[in-house]
Amino acid sequence: MNRNRNYKKTIAAALCVALSAEAVVPAFAAGAIEDKDENVYVNLNQDGSVSGIYVVNEYTLGADTEIVDYGDYSAVKNLSTEDEILLEDGKVTVNAAKGKFLYQGDMADTTLPWLIDISYTLDGKEITAEELPGKSGALKISVSVKDNPASDDEFFDNYLMQATVTLDTEKCSNIRADGATEANVGKDRQILYNIMAGQEKEFTISADVTEFEMDALSFQAVPMSFDIDVDSLDTSSITEKTDEIKDAAEEFDDGAGELDDGAQELLDGVEELKDGADELKDGASDLNSGTGELVSGAGELSSGTGELVSGANELYSGAASLNSGLKSLNSGAKSLNKGIQSAASGAQAAQKGAKELAEGAKEAAEGSMELKDGSATLADSLKQLQTGAGSLQAALNMLTEKSPELTGGSSQIQAALLQIRKSLDGITVGTEQMQTLLDSSTAILTAIGQAADGAQAVSDGLAQIQESYGSIDELEAKNTEAAAFLSGVAGTAQTAYGAVSGNKLIMSMITSTTGMGAAEIEAAIAALNNTAYLLEQNNTAFTQLRGGIDTAGTGAASVSEGMAVLEEQYELFNAEVQKLPVVLENMITANMEPLKEGIDQLVTADATLNAGIKEYTEGVQAVKEGYDALYTAFGQVTEGAASLAEGAEALAEGNSALADGSKELYSGTKSLTSGAKQLASGSKELASGAGSAAKGASQLQSGAGSLAGGADALRQGAGSLYSGTITLQDGATQLYDGTVELSDGVSDLYDGVVELKDGTAELKDGTNEFVEKTEDIDETIDEEIDKAVDKIAGGDFEPVSFTSEKNENIGLVQFVMKTESITIPEVEETETEEAEESISEKLRDLF
C-alpha cells in the first residue's frame, strides 16, 4: 500500500509539473497539435538501477483532433478522459478535445541516458539499503552518475541534472557533503549536487546516524539553458594584459635575434679549435703506436730467450727420461703382445653373443609395438563407451526425478474421481430449494417493476439540472482568467529563480532581503502552480460533470424504456421457471444412475493404474542404483586401460632402443676382433723399435746440456733491452692520452655550441611565431569566451522526444528519477476493498 500511495503522489506531481510547464514553453508548431511535452518518471531501485519508467505525455491542442504518438510502451492509460486509447506495435492512437490532453505510457525499454550507482557503508562495511532501516553508526552514501554508452548522448550532452539527498537532522549528525549546496528545511538537511551537461560526477555524503531513516534520493534532469549576456562582461583588464604580452613578445624576438648572431660567431671559432685538436691527437697516436711495436718486439725477444733456456733444460731432462722410458717400453711391449693374443680370442666369443642379443631384441620390439597399438585402441573404445554410459546415467536420473510426478498425478486423478462420485450422490431435487427458486423469481419480477418507476423519476430530475447550465458557464470563464494569470506569474518566477539558484552570492542577497531561502521560494512557486492547476481542474470537472449529466439524462431515458421491455420479458421467463420442478425431476431420474456407474468403473481402473505406476517407479530406482555402481567401476576400468596404453608405449620405446643398442654392440664386437689382430702385429714392431730409440736418446741428452748454457747468456741481454722500451712507451702513452682528452673536450664543446646555435635558431623562429600569434590575441580571447558561454548556456539545443524519434512538435522533455524511501517497516492494517470511483473522484484522490 505504501508503494501505491507513493505512485499516486508521483503522478500528481507529474501532472502539476506538466501543467506549469505550459507557461514557459512557447508553442511553435502549426495545426491542431501546438506542442507536446514529455515528463519522464523513473522508479529507481535502492542501488540506482532502473526498476521501471513511465512517461506522462502532455498535449496542447488548438482543436479537436486524433492524436498519433509513438513509443516503446508496454501499456498506456488515458489520464484526461474515459475515451479509449489504442496501442499497437509502438503506435498510440486516441481522440482528444481542444485544450490539454494527457496520457501515461509505461516504457518497455528501461534504458536511461545516465548510469546511476548508489552504495552504502556502515562503520566501514558495505551494507544494502534494505538492511539500513533502524541501524546506527558511521554511515557513508556514495553516488555515481555516468554516461550510459548504450543510450543516445543527445540527453546526456545537453541536460543539467540535480541530485537531491534529504537527511533528518534528528537522526543524522556530523553531516559532511563536500562540493554540495546545503540548506536546512525545518528539521531536514537538504543536500544538492548540480551535474553539468556532458559531465560525469561521483560524490560521497557521510554522517553519524541513529535509528536511520531517509527520504527518497531524487534526480531531476532538464535542458541546460542559462541567459548570459556576453556584452555585459568586462574584459578591459584582459585587454590591458594582452597589450603587455604583445610588447614583451616583440622585445623577446629582438633579443633572440642578437643571441642567434652571437652563437654563430662562437660556432665558427670552436670549429677551428676542433680541427687543430684532431691533428695533434693523430700525431700522438702515431708515436704511441710506434713505441708500442718496439716494446712488443723487445718483449718477444726477451720472452723467446727465456723460453729457449727453459726449453734447453727441459730437452736435457726429457732426453734422460726418454732413455730410461724406452728401456721399460721394450720390456712392456713383449708382455703386451701376450695379453693381446688372449684378448683377440675373447672378442670372437663376444661377437657371437652380441648377434644373438640383437635378434631377440628385434622380436621383443615388434611384440611391444603390437601391444601398444592394441592397448591404445582399447582405451579409445572404453572412452567412447564411457561417454554413452554417461548419457544413459543422465536418462536414468531423469526417470527417477520424474517418477514422483507420475505417482502424484495418478493420485490426484483418483481423488478427483472419488470427489465426483460423492458429489453425484448429493444431487437431488429438494422441495424447499425449489420453492425458494420459485419465490425468488416472483420477487425479481416485482423488483423490476419498482426499478422501472425509479428510472423514470431519475430522468425527470436530470432534465431539471440541465436547465441551470448558465451559471456554470460564468464560473468557468472566471476560473480560466485566474489560472492564466497565476501560471504566468509562476513561470516568470521559475525562470528568474533557475537563472540565479546556482549563484550562492545572489541567493544570499535574496535571503537577507526577503527572508526566503531556496526551499521557501520553490514552495511559493509550487503553490502558485498548484492553485492555477486546481482552477483549471475545476473547469475540467465542470465540463466532465455537465457531460456526465447529459450522458446520464440520455441514459436514464434509455434505461426507462429498457426496464419496460425487461419487465415484459421477465414475465414470460417466470412462467417457465414455475414449470422447472417437474422437468428437473424427470432429467435426474433418467440420466444420473448411468453416470454414477461410469465413475465407479473409472475409480476401479485408476486403482490398478496406481499399482502399476508404483511397481514401475520402484523398478526404475533399482536400475538406477545398479547402474550407478556399474558406471563408477567402468570409470576405473577406463583409467586402467589408459595407464596400460601409456605403459605399452613406454615398453615399445625401450625395446626399440634395446634392438638399436644390440645392433651397435654386435658391430662393435666385430671391430674389436679385427683391432685385436692388428694390435698384436703392432706390438711386435713396437718392441723392436723401442730398442733402437734407446740408443739415440743417450746421444740427445749429451747435446741438450751444451745448448742450455748458451741460451742463458742470450736471455740476460734481451731483458735489459725490454726494460728500456717499457719506459719509452709509458711516456708516449701519456702524451697520447692527453691529446685524446683535449680532442674529446673540444668535440663536446663543438657539439654544445652546435646545439646552442640550433636552439637559438629555434628560439628565433618561436619568437617570430609568438609575435604573429599575439597580433590578434584580443579577437581570439573574445572568440573563446563566446564559445565557453555558448557551451554553458546551452541555448541551441532543439528538444527531441525520449520515447521515439518519430514524434514531432516536442516542447519540453524532463526527467524525474527517485528511489524508495528508507523507512523502518510499520505493521500494515487490513484494508477493505474500495468501491469503483468516478472520474471526478479519481482526480480528487490523485491530488
Side-chain angles (χ1 to χ4, degrees), residues 738-762:
T739 58
V740 169
E741 291 179 2
L742 175 63
S743 177
D744 292 342
V746 173
S747 295
D748 293 340
L749 175 62
Y750 177 77
D751 293 339
V753 174
V754 170
E755 292 179 1
L756 173 63
K757 179 62 179 66
D758 293 339
T760 57
E762 291 179 3

Side-chain angles (χ1 to χ4, degrees), residues 186-527:
K187 67 174 183 177
D188 291 334
R189 176 72 58 83
Q190 195 172 71
I191 302 170
L192 304 177
Y193 286 91
N194 290 320
I195 305 171
M196 304 298 286
Q199 295 185 4
E200 298 179 341
K201 192 176 187 70
E202 296 181 355
F203 59 87
T204 301
I205 301 171
S206 61
D208 296 328
V209 302
T210 304
E211 295 182 358
F212 181 69
E213 289 185 300
M214 182 178 69
D215 290 343
L217 274 69
S218 65
F219 303 84
Q220 295 80 31
V222 295
M224 189 169 74
S225 178
F226 298 100
D227 186 11
I228 301 176
D229 185 5
V230 179
D231 297 334
S232 65
L233 299 177
D234 184 9
T235 60
S236 58
S237 59
I238 298 177
T239 304
E240 293 175 358
K241 293 297 182 182
T242 56
D243 291 340
E244 295 177 3
I245 292 174
K246 287 189 283 187
D247 294 340
E250 292 178 356
E251 295 178 1
F252 190 23
D253 184 53
D254 294 340
E258 295 176 359
L259 178 63
D260 187 54
D261 294 340
Q264 183 61 51
E265 294 178 0
L266 176 62
L267 178 63
D268 294 340
V270 171
E271 190 171 3
E272 294 178 0
L273 176 62
K274 179 176 179 297
D275 293 340
D278 289 341
E279 292 177 0
L280 177 61
K281 184 183 72 171
D282 292 340
S285 177
D286 294 340
L287 175 63
N288 188 43
S289 298
T291 56
E293 293 175 359
L294 178 61
V295 170
S296 177
E300 290 177 359
L301 177 61
S302 176
S303 176
T305 55
E307 292 176 358
L308 178 62
V309 171
S310 176
N313 291 330
E314 291 177 359
L315 178 62
Y316 176 79
S317 176
S321 299
L322 178 63
N323 187 25
S324 174
L326 288 175
K327 292 179 180 180
S328 300
L329 177 62
N330 186 29
S331 176
K334 294 179 181 179
S335 299
L336 176 62
N337 186 36
K338 294 180 180 180
I340 290 174
Q341 293 293 331
S342 300
S345 300
Q348 290 179 350
Q351 180 180 0
K352 181 179 180 182
K355 181 177 181 182
E356 294 175 352
L357 175 62
E359 292 174 350
K362 180 179 179 182
E363 293 177 357
E366 292 174 351
S368 62
M369 288 301 294
E370 293 177 357
L371 176 61
K372 170 190 171 184
D373 295 339
S375 60
T377 303
L378 175 60
D380 291 341
S381 300
L382 286 174
K383 288 181 180 178
Q384 296 174 1
L385 186 57
Q386 187 179 25
T387 301
S391 301
L392 179 58
Q393 186 183 38
L396 286 173
N397 289 335
M398 179 62 72
L399 285 176
T400 304
E401 293 172 359
K402 296 299 182 180
S403 291
E405 298 180 10
L406 181 61
T407 305
S410 177
S411 299
Q412 292 175 3
I413 291 172
Q414 186 179 34
L417 290 173
L418 292 174
Q419 182 64 37
I420 291 172
R421 181 63 177 86
K422 183 178 180 181
S423 299
L424 291 176
D425 290 338
I427 297 177
T428 60
V429 180
T431 304
E432 294 180 359
Q433 291 87 347
M434 185 56 64
Q435 187 59 45
T436 300
L437 174 63
L438 298 178
D439 294 341
S440 299
S441 179
T442 302
I444 291 172
L445 179 61
T446 302
I448 290 174
Q450 294 174 353
D453 297 338
Q456 183 60 46
V458 171
S459 179
D460 296 339
L462 290 174
Q464 293 177 1
I465 295 174
Q466 288 172 327
E467 295 174 359
S468 62
Y469 280 170
S471 59
I472 295 177
D473 294 337
E474 294 178 359
L475 182 58
E476 284 183 333
K478 293 180 180 179
N479 281 349
T480 300
E481 293 176 359
F485 173 76
L486 291 176
S487 295
V489 173
T492 303
Q494 182 65 52
T495 302
Y497 174 70
V500 303
S501 60
N503 192 314
K504 294 183 179 180
L505 177 60
I506 295 177
M507 288 300 297
S508 176
M509 294 172 62
I510 292 174
T511 301
S512 63
T513 303
T514 64
M516 296 176 65
E520 287 80 3
I521 294 174
E522 291 175 353
I525 294 173

Side-chain angles (χ1 to χ4, degrees), residues 530-544:
N530 288 339
T531 304
Y533 175 76
L534 291 175
L535 289 173
E536 290 180 350
Q537 288 303 302
N538 284 342
N539 286 350
T540 303
F542 288 147
T543 301
Q544 293 177 347

Side-chain angles (χ1 to χ4, degrees), residues 93 221 290 318 340-341 354 362 430 469 698 708 712 716 762 769 789 805:
T93 307
I340 290 174
Q341 293 293 331
K362 180 179 179 182
Y469 280 170
S698 179
D712 185 62
Q716 294 177 358
E762 291 179 3
E769 184 178 357
V789 170
E805 62 183 9

